[in-house]
Amino acid sequence: LLSKLGQMMRIVDNDDIDKELSEVRKEFPSLTFTDAIHLATAIKYKCENLRTNDQDLIGLPKKKVLEVAQKHGCPKFAISCLKA
């Protein structure tokens, strides 16, 4: 199970996300700083799916999230609920 999970996940840092973070904060001002960092980091590293149980992220307008991601070279992006 762990090796399969390792193939689907990648641990990254959040250095150099200034541009993405600025855009996320502008477009989604209701997000906490921490949530904005998570979203900006996922966009920076061109994730296709940010899986979370965080309702603040899950509740963002999908179309708007995709538009922000696409502006930063992330053509496919979605936030989905992480189910137990």
Side-chain angles (χ1 to χ4, degrees), residues 19-31 36 64 68 71-72:
K19 226 167 49 170
E20 293 82 3
L21 182 58
S22 177
E23 178 86 11
V24 166
R25 302 268 301 159
K26 179 179 140 203
E27 294 297 330
F28 308 107
S30 65
L31 284 181
K64 188 70 152 177
V68 170
K71 282 183 189 177
H72 294 278

Side-chain angles (χ1 to χ4, degrees), residues 55-73:
Q55 292 302 309
D56 294 332
L57 291 170
I58 294 167
L60 293 175
K62 294 178 186 321
K63 184 178 178 186
K64 188 70 152 177
V65 169
L66 180 58
E67 288 172 2
V68 170
Q70 288 175 336
K71 282 183 189 177
H72 294 278

Side-chain angles (χ1 to χ4, degrees), residues 40-64:
T41 302
I43 290 170
K44 169 78 176 182
Y45 287 95
K46 298 178 180 33
C47 294
E48 290 185 7
N49 191 347
L50 174 58
R51 295 183 49 93
T52 182
N53 284 325
D54 189 321
Q55 292 302 309
D56 294 332
L57 291 170
I58 294 167
L60 293 175
K62 294 178 186 321
K63 184 178 178 186
K64 188 70 152 177

Side-chain angles (χ1 to χ4, degrees), residues 4-17:
K4 212 173 206 188
L5 186 60
Q7 293 171 6
M8 297 184 303
M9 294 177 59
R10 186 171 82 170
I11 297 172
V12 299
D13 63 35
N14 59 6
D15 287 343
D16 300 321
I17 63 162

